[in-house]
């Protein structure tokens, strides 16, 4: 990577953090929000010209070489994936990308400027020059770093081009592995989203693309299909259904596995419970349509030294939730799935966790591509740690006073509709509190969302029990009765429904 590229990357780090603000300003300036006409509102610059529910896998900048570029292009064609490429003019001049070859094999190629500057720093005419040859002259373009303002917007319009940004940023340029990228995309992409990656990093290879496609498919989401023939140079929109075929159903139905959203482990499309029984055997209890549990299946013996465990969002790219567990010596271990109902040997990812309590795994609060482990230290400080496949790292203290007034914590994902997962906690008085998390990973507000929860000996969320798109809570009383509280949105819960009895012998749940 040359010095100029390093400078661009450093600048990109800051600019990507401010993309949401810049996009909002640009949208407001062009009238797409707050009273926009239907014609204006029809184009969403985050999703681009994709009218379908299929996800677009988009790649910026330059590939490592022309031969590697052609290899990925051909592999994607064979997998029926229509790539969306945004090369710079300098990439084309250097000969590391062949736009005609990509289009001939059913992929889309759009503009990404000539030399990758922050377009906001240029004059109106300077932006226009960056949108011309030797860059791609077409109908859509991606401003470098997602940096956009009203001047940039006007310059795009003057050359007959619309900006196309993204709404899922993988941050692959930080050197993430293929498995990390697959896990992030499969966990975070939603119907119609645009996923941002770069041709010089690990997302741009055949195996990663294949894993992303299959992982999204397990959630009922398709990727943009390869175009039959040569794609247009100046398309009005993408034909992601490849010739007008049917759009995939974006919402999974029973029988379609969706592990990160529904807590499915055995592939039947329904939630499952993991528990360690009195014989220290890890068991899986398959969920049934009526939200009760089928007969348990043995996953593995030898869990006697485990005193806490939780499922984590998929970390190894196979589309199935993984498992993290603490042992009595304070060590923390990650167990990555090995197909259905099996785990690889544990990998130690933490030490000296004996003094931590109120542990809960949060699904990527601060949008850095990793889930977080949140817990209270012995002095009552609430701490957040990044959870990666190779280990954990401290990120921030996010609260205080969690030593005695909080008895347990859990999460059902987001509560207030802002797409950031929030934290739930039960107080010593039995109140259920929602701690709203900001996008920076800190607590921004506290709301009481229930009372009378002090009688439970276990409360956690195994996933979405009734397939309505919201994670629910399961709670056990000292009698051994097991109850479900369906999350109705906004921290509102359905009346308790008993789904089992005689659950006293199970000491740990995940």
């Amino acid at each position: 990577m040359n010095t100029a590229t390093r400078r661009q990357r450093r600048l990109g780090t800051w600019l990507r953090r401010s993309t949401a603000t810049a996009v909002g300003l640009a949208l407001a300036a062009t009238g797409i929000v707050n009273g926009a006409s239907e014609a204006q509102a029809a184009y969403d610059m985050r999703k681009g010209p994709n009218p379908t529910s299929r996800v677009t896998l988009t790649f910026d900048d330059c590939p490592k070489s022309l031969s590697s570029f052609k290899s990925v292009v051909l592999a994607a064609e064979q997998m029926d994936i229509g790539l969306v490429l945004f090369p710079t003019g300098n990439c084309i001049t250097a000969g590391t990308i062949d736009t005609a070859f990509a289009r001939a094999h059913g992929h889309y190629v759009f503009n990404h400027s000539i030399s990758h500057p922050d377009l906001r720093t240029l004059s109106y005419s300077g932006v226009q020059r960056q949108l011309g040859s030797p860059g791609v002259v077409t109908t859509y373009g991606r401003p470098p770093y997602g940096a956009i303002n009203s001047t940039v917007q006007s310059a795009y319009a003057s050359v007959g081009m619309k900006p196309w940004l993204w709404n899922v940023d993988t941050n692959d340029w930080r050197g993430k592995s293929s498995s990390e990228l697959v896990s992030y995309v499969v966990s975070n992409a939603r119907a119609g989203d645009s996923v941002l990656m770069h041709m010089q990093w690990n997302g741009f290879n055949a195996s990663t693309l294949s894993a992303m496609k299959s992982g999204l498919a397990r959630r009922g989401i398709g990727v943009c299909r390869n175009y039959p023939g040569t794609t247009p140079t100046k398309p009005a929109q993408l034909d992601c259904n490849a010739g007008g075929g049917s759009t995939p159903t974006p919402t999974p139905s029973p029988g379609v596995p969706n592990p990160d959203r529904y807590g499915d482990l055995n592939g039947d499309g329904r939630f499952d419970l993991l528990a360690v029984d009195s014989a220290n055997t890890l068991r899986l209890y398959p969920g049934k349509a009526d939200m009760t549990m089928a007969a348990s299946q043995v996953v593995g013996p030898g869990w006697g030294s485990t005193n806490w465990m939780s499922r984590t969002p998929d970390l190894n790219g196979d589309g199935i939730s993984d498992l993290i567990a603490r042992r009595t010596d304070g060590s923390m271990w990650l167990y990555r799935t090995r197909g259905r109902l099996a785990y690889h040997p544990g990998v130690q990812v933490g030490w000296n966790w004996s003094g931590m309590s109120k542990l809960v795994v949060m699904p990527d609060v601060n949008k850095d591509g990793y889930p977080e482990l949140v817990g209270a230290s012995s002095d009552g400080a609430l701490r957040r740690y990044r959870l990666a496949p190779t280990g954990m790292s401290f990120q921030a203290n996010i609260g205080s006073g969690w030593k005695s007034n909080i008895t347990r914590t859990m999460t059902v994902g987001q509560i207030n509709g802002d797409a950031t997962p929030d934290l739930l906690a039960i107080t010593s008085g039995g109140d259920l509190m929602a701690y709203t998390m900001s996008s920076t990973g800190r607590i921004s507000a506290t709301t009481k969302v229930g009372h009378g929860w002090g009688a439970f000996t276990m409360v956690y969320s195994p996933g979405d029990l009734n397939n309505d798109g919201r994670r629910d809570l399961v709670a056990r009383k000292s009698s051994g009765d097991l109850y479900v509280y369906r999350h109705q949105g906004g921290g509102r819960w359905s009346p308790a429904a008993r789904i089992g009895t005689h659950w006293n012998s199970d000491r740990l749940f995940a």
Side-chain angles (χ1 to χ4, degrees), residues 12-94:
T13 302
W14 179 84
L15 287 169
R16 289 181 195 279
R17 291 171 183 164
S18 59
T19 294
T21 301
V23 171
L25 291 172
L27 289 172
T30 55
I32 296 181
V33 295
N34 298 331
S37 69
E38 290 186 6
Q40 288 172 317
Y43 180 68
D44 182 345
M45 71 166 64
R46 297 177 183 87
K47 293 188 175 184
N50 173 20
T52 77
S53 63
R54 293 182 181 273
V55 167
T56 51
L57 303 178
T58 75
F59 293 86
D60 291 3
D61 299 347
C62 306
K64 294 178 179 178
S65 67
L66 182 60
S67 61
S68 65
F69 169 75
K70 289 186 174 180
S71 174
V72 174
V73 162
L74 293 174
E77 180 186 23
Q78 291 297 313
M79 289 184 278
D80 196 23
I81 297 174
L83 302 175
V84 179
L85 309 175
F86 292 91
T88 65
N90 287 349
C91 301
I92 297 170
T93 302

Side-chain angles (χ1 to χ4, degrees), residues 93-114:
T93 302
T96 58
I97 186 170
D98 186 335
T99 60
F101 182 85
R103 287 181 176 134
H105 289 276
H107 306 290
Y108 294 90
V109 186
F110 297 112
N111 182 279
H112 194 42
S113 79
I114 295 174

Side-chain angles (χ1 to χ4, degrees), residues 22-375:
V23 171
L25 291 172
L27 289 172
T30 55
I32 296 181
V33 295
N34 298 331
S37 69
E38 290 186 6
Q40 288 172 317
Y43 180 68
D44 182 345
M45 71 166 64
R46 297 177 183 87
K47 293 188 175 184
N50 173 20
T52 77
S53 63
R54 293 182 181 273
V55 167
T56 51
L57 303 178
T58 75
F59 293 86
D60 291 3
D61 299 347
C62 306
K64 294 178 179 178
S65 67
L66 182 60
S67 61
S68 65
F69 169 75
K70 289 186 174 180
S71 174
V72 174
V73 162
L74 293 174
E77 180 186 23
Q78 291 297 313
M79 289 184 278
D80 196 23
I81 297 174
L83 302 175
V84 179
L85 309 175
F86 292 91
T88 65
N90 287 349
C91 301
I92 297 170
T93 302
T96 58
I97 186 170
D98 186 335
T99 60
F101 182 85
R103 287 181 176 134
H105 289 276
H107 306 290
Y108 294 90
V109 186
F110 297 112
N111 182 279
H112 194 42
S113 79
I114 295 174
S115 59
H116 207 277
D118 178 354
L119 297 180
R120 298 174 303 179
T121 66
L122 305 182
S123 66
Y124 179 79
S125 59
V127 176
Q128 288 178 315
R129 285 193 294 271
Q130 281 287 331
L131 302 181
S133 181
V136 180
V137 178
T138 181
T139 44
Y140 295 92
R142 175 163 288 164
Y145 315 110
I148 191 169
N149 58 19
S150 57
T151 300
V152 174
Q153 179 83 359
S154 296
Y156 269 89
S158 73
V159 297
M161 206 179 294
K162 291 182 180 179
W164 182 356
L165 302 179
W166 60 84
N167 45 20
V168 177
D169 188 350
T170 63
N171 287 296
D172 58 342
W173 54 275
R174 291 179 175 174
K176 291 184 179 181
S177 67
S178 293
S179 62
E180 289 172 325
L181 294 173
V182 171
S183 176
Y184 187 78
V185 172
V186 171
S187 299
N188 289 276
R190 298 294 181 262
D193 278 355
S194 292
V195 178
L196 172 64
M197 291 176 279
H198 298 80
M199 285 184 268
Q200 66 269 48
W201 296 99
N202 290 325
F204 196 66
N205 69 63
S207 61
T208 305
L209 291 172
S210 177
M212 287 179 181
K213 179 180 178 180
S214 59
L216 288 169
R218 284 192 290 267
R219 293 181 47 222
I221 298 176
V223 298
C224 189
R225 296 185 65 185
N226 190 257
Y227 186 79
T230 301
T231 56
T233 302
K234 296 183 177 182
Q237 63 181 26
L238 273 62
D239 184 7
C240 280
N241 284 333
S246 60
T247 302
T249 301
T251 303
S253 56
V256 179
N258 190 348
D260 285 329
R261 184 174 175 186
Y262 289 95
D264 177 32
L265 290 173
N266 64 357
D268 65 358
R270 300 189 180 96
F271 78 98
D272 303 302
L273 298 184
L274 277 177
V276 174
D277 64 16
S278 57
N280 296 316
T281 298
L282 182 65
R283 291 180 174 274
L284 180 134
Y285 295 84
K288 301 195 305 187
D290 62 358
M291 294 185 293
T292 61
M293 254 58 66
S296 68
Q297 304 171 36
V298 173
V299 178
W303 288 76
S305 63
T306 301
N307 60 15
W308 173 84
M309 68 178 187
S310 173
R311 270 179 277 183
T312 77
D314 175 29
L315 289 171
N316 66 347
D318 65 356
I320 310 171
S321 300
D322 300 310
L323 187 66
I324 188 170
R326 182 182 62 185
R327 296 180 181 176
T328 51
D329 63 0
S331 60
M332 197 73 78
W333 295 77
L334 179 66
Y335 298 86
R336 284 173 279 196
T337 48
R338 186 176 58 198
R340 300 289 179 185
L341 305 185
Y343 292 92
H344 289 285
V347 175
Q348 189 170 358
V349 292
W351 297 259
N352 301 318
W353 281 76
S354 296
M356 298 292 289
S357 61
K358 291 89 175 180
L359 297 171
V360 58
V361 174
M362 303 287 288
D364 195 10
V365 172
N366 61 348
K367 307 303 180 188
D368 65 353
Y370 297 95
E372 290 88 19
L373 181 58
V374 172

Side-chain angles (χ1 to χ4, degrees), residues 408 426 452-459 475-478 481 483 485:
R408 64 184 76 250
I426 298 174
W453 289 74
F456 295 114
T457 60
M458 176 277 294
V459 182
R476 180 186 62 185
K477 287 188 174 181
S478 57
D481 290 344
Y483 294 87
Y485 291 83

